[in-house]
Each structure stands twice: as C-alpha cells, then as structure tokens.
Amino acid sequence: MSLPAFVEPPTKETRDNARRCLEATRDSVNQLTTKINAAEATLAQIVRESQYAISQLQTERTALENQVSKTMAYLSPIRLLPLELLREIFLWMFEDHPCSAWILAAVCTSWRRLALRIPVIWSKIRLLTTQHASADTIRLWLERSGDTTPLDIEIFLRVASSKASEALSHRARRTPSLLTPITPPWNNLAFGSHHISAHYVVAPPPGPPASSVPIVMPPSPSSHNDSWGAPAGGSSTQERPANAVSRVSMHWGHIAFFYLVEQMHRWERFVFRFDKQFTSMGALKSINGEAPLLKEFEVSSIEAAFFAEWPWLPNANSSSSVVLPKLRTLTLQHTPFKWSSPMLRGLHTLNLRGLPTSHLPLDRLLHILSNNPELQSVSLHFQGVLPAILPLTNLTLPHVTSLALGGHYLLTQLLESLVLPVLDSLTLDIEARDAIEDIISSLLTRSNRPPIQHLSIAYGVAANAATFYYGPGGLVISWTALLAELPHLKTLTIGGTSLEPLLTALGSPEDDPNQHQNLAWACPTLEVLGLRSCHAHTEGVTKLVQMIEARNPHNNGTAQSVNGVTPLRLARLELYECTNLGEDVMKWLHSRIGDVVCVDPAADSRTSLTHGYL
C-alpha cells in the first residue's frame, strides 16, 4: 500500500485525505498482527509437540544407553574374576595406598560389599583433620577394621589457622636437606602438601577446600543414611552454627580418643601429631592400659606447650605394670614423660624432645639410655639440662648407628660418656660453649673409630646459628684434623662456622697450609655438602670455587690422585644464608654439580638449580 503524497502547506482537502489514509493503514496493521499471532501460535504448538516428541525419544535413548552400560558392565572381563582374585587386588592396592578402601568401597555395590568384608584394608588409619571436623570418621574406620586386625594409626591434627599452616608449610619446604633432622618425621611435615593429601584421608574443613590437590574426603558426620548405609559425602560443617562448631572443637579429642583407646589392645603402631595446643588436649590422659601388639608409639607437638605431669602411659611409675612387650620405637616430642617410666625400656629407636619446663639431670638421661641396651637410633633434644647428680660412667651402646643430640650445652658431657662402636650418623645441634672437635675426636677414639658416613653440626632447622655461641675459636678450630678422622664421610652439613677454613680443608691437599707432609684428601667419599649461616670473609667465594674445582673438575673428570686416593665428585651442594655468590658463580656451580640449592642471605629467597634455573 503506497502512502499518499503530502502537499506543503497542508490544506483542508489534503488533511482529510491523510485522516482517511491513517484509518485504513491502522486497519491493515491490526489485520496483519492477527495473522502473525495466529502463525506464531501455530508454530509454538508445533514446537511444543516436537519438543515433547524429542524428549520422549531422548528418554527412550537414555534407557537404552543405560541398558547398554549395564550389559557392557555385565560382559566386562572383571566380572569373570573370582572374588578371591579381586580380594587380592584390593590387598595390593592397600599396600601402596593405605586409604584406598574408601575409594574401592565407592565404586559399586558389589565392590563395597567385598571391601567391607576385608577388615585388613581398613587397618591403616591415615587421617589429616582439624578439631572442628567430626571424630566419627575414626569410629567408622575402627568399626570396619573388625575386632582382631592389628591397627596402624597415623592422625595429624591441624590446630593452627590456615595462614599459620601455610607459613609452617612454607618454612618446612624452604630449606630441604638430605640430612635427617633432630625430629625426623615432624620437621618435614607440611600440612596440606601433596605428600600428605595423596596418602591420607583429609577431613573437610569448615569452608571450601584451600587446595586443588586431589584428596580422599572422609564421610560427613551429618548423615549416615546413604544408599549404602554409610555416611554421605560432603561437609556439613558449613551448615552448622558457630556455637555447634565450637562445641565440636571442645570435645573432638575426648570423642576421638574414646574410640581409639577402646581398641588399644589392637594397636600395632600409633602416631598422633598436632601443631599446637588444642582445647581437648587433656584427652591424651586416657592413653593407658595394655597394648600387647604395640611396636611404635609417637605423640608429638610442634609447639612447645607447658603441661603438668599427666597420668598417662609415658608418665607411669617405675613400679607400674606396663604391658608393652613388643614396643621398640618411641617418639615423644613436647609431651610430658617420666625418665623412669617402664615405657622407656627395651627400645630400638628412641626420639625424645623435652618440654622447656623439663630439666632432667644428665645421669637420668644416661639412665634412660642404659635401660635400652638394644638401641639402634637415638635422638635427644632438651633445652634444659641439669648437672649430673650421680657420677657419670661410660655407657657402651653396641648397636647404635644413628645419634642426634640437640639443645643444652651440658649434653656434651653426655656425649663424652658414650661408646658407640658401630656409629654411622652423628647429628649435633648442641649449644656448645667451646670448640666441639675434641669431643667428637674423643668419641671416635673411645668407640674404636667407627666408620661414620654422616656428620651434621648445628645444621638443624631449629638450630639458627645466631643462637649458638662457640667462643673465639669458632665451631671447630682445626677442620683438617677433624676431617682426617672421618675418611668414610659421605654427608657433611655444618652451620654457624667460618667458611674459609672448612673449604680449605675440603679442597686440594696442596692448598691446605695445615698439611705439611703426608698429603691426603679430606673425606674422599664425600658426596653431599651443606652449609648454613656460615660467615665468610673476602675469600669465601674464592675458596668455594677452588674446592669445587679440585673435587669436580671440568667435563666430569676425576680429581687429582694424592697418595693413590682419588675423591668422589660432589653430587649435592646446599648453601643457606652464607654469602652472596652472584649469578655467574651460580651458573658455574651448576655446570660442576648436579644438584645445587642456594639461599641468598640478603633476599632470603631460595634459588634451586637442578637441570636449569628456576
């Protein structure tokens, strides 16, 4: 429909024509709108019918696909496996992954029934939790492990806030060392790390997960009525009010240890670690009773808490009847114990870190060692030690291969009373007041010069060199004389000493002014060298380069032979807060040594060179 021409200026006739045209146009618009609405309604009906038909077809396809899946599952070769073989596979999985039972039981109904009929795969409790999580996870684990299966228990309780935990993890990872520290299993623990998450059931925190690392989530304490009769997944803590969470945290220890101590007769290994004091810590007092299967026992705290003497197993009186016939490994760190407790007898491995308020006389520490003639590994750390009440006598420990002493300077007197004929590893983080080389030399002489392969002095994570006083002579006066007595040494880690004398002694014998005749390489089998907070003068970097040049010649060559002895090449070098090396020296070190770890003392930032720069 063509529009009429509007003449300017408008006249009465043209205005009448425009009104008639407007009316006709409006009628046409209404007619077209009616037709469009009718067409759209017809199309919508067609779409609805088509969508319904498609939905019906999709439903039929889903049903057929489910049938296909069920049929394929029925035809799966694993269905032909006898239950005995499937049981063996479950057991193999359990050997490599202690928490695999939770995953295996979640695959299908038949696997769940089989998993619940194998108590042994529930016998290793590996739980990383907080006091805000439910303790029912422990109850479920214990129930599924049966009534007679020996229990291997490791529970790590994270009490510190998330920020504190991250800082703790950062500190633990910042200065890794091949050397075993005073507290081997605890100093390297980083809550929430890949290692922990991969092998432990991680209790859900009261909020979203802080890490994207795959973890095994324990059952939720809120529901026990899922389709399999087990707790449903997910965390109910987020839905609980704050006062309910507070009540859980107040009673977590009492509930958890009620379940655990009930099964104490089945304990074969018990490890409980926590990072700081927690509200229900008094529940540890319930650890009392007979444990005829117990081989290893540990209760450790990172924080040096101040406890009274609890009436628990390590505090038992010497006349108490303690049934621990198989106990061979004991670790107590920052937890109370009595030096005369029957629990501290007949051990092979002993690891004690005393409370700051604990001040034992030296003769009582020696008494602890004398009650364990079969000891193989000893680690003692005491910040407070009193002089001996009774005279100290020499004590021979014929099986000790590893000795670690740390803390008060009077512990050097304890070291002077020991005879260790098969000693292999010696770790000393003692607050010595004088040079310590004479003490080590006397130990070697008394012990008929055992082939020590690992020596560490003032190198522990807690042994900040600034807290140690070694007098004007330094940590060791003559490194040449000391290292000459350690020809079998493979690992040497030192903290808080002067850098130049040590590097000179380890370098080419011709460059050592202390070797006037009968030149010989110091520690010809040395493979790992670690230095922490070792102060250097102007020639420190030069001495380091000269030592590496002598032991690790260019192009993987062999060092110069002296009197028929050629030293091994260094495989690892650790330098923590010693001296600024410079990028060129670091690149040169990397070309000579396969593994170099360096922390700049100024920036306190780690630069690790392993197959390239990071």
Side-chain angles (χ1 to χ4, degrees), residues 102 105 112 116 140 144 219-220 223-233:
W102 294 97
R112 179 178 179 79
L116 293 179
L140 280 173
R144 295 176 181 182
S220 167
S223 173
H224 297 277
N225 299 311
D226 70 349
S227 58
W228 287 341

Side-chain angles (χ1 to χ4, degrees), residues 174 192 221 266 329 350 390 423 480 482 489 507 514:
R174 187 172 66 91
R266 291 200 288 140
T329 300
L350 178 62
L390 299 175
L423 187 63
T480 301
L482 177 60
L489 208 60
N514 295 316

Side-chain angles (χ1 to χ4, degrees), residues 309-310 312-318 332 335-344 360 368:
E309 287 194 356
W310 287 343
W312 70 321
L313 199 56
N315 270 340
N317 295 322
S318 58
L332 299 172
T335 53
F337 65 90
K338 282 185 179 179
W339 61 276
S340 58
S341 171
M343 194 177 195
L344 276 69
L360 286 177
I368 293 175

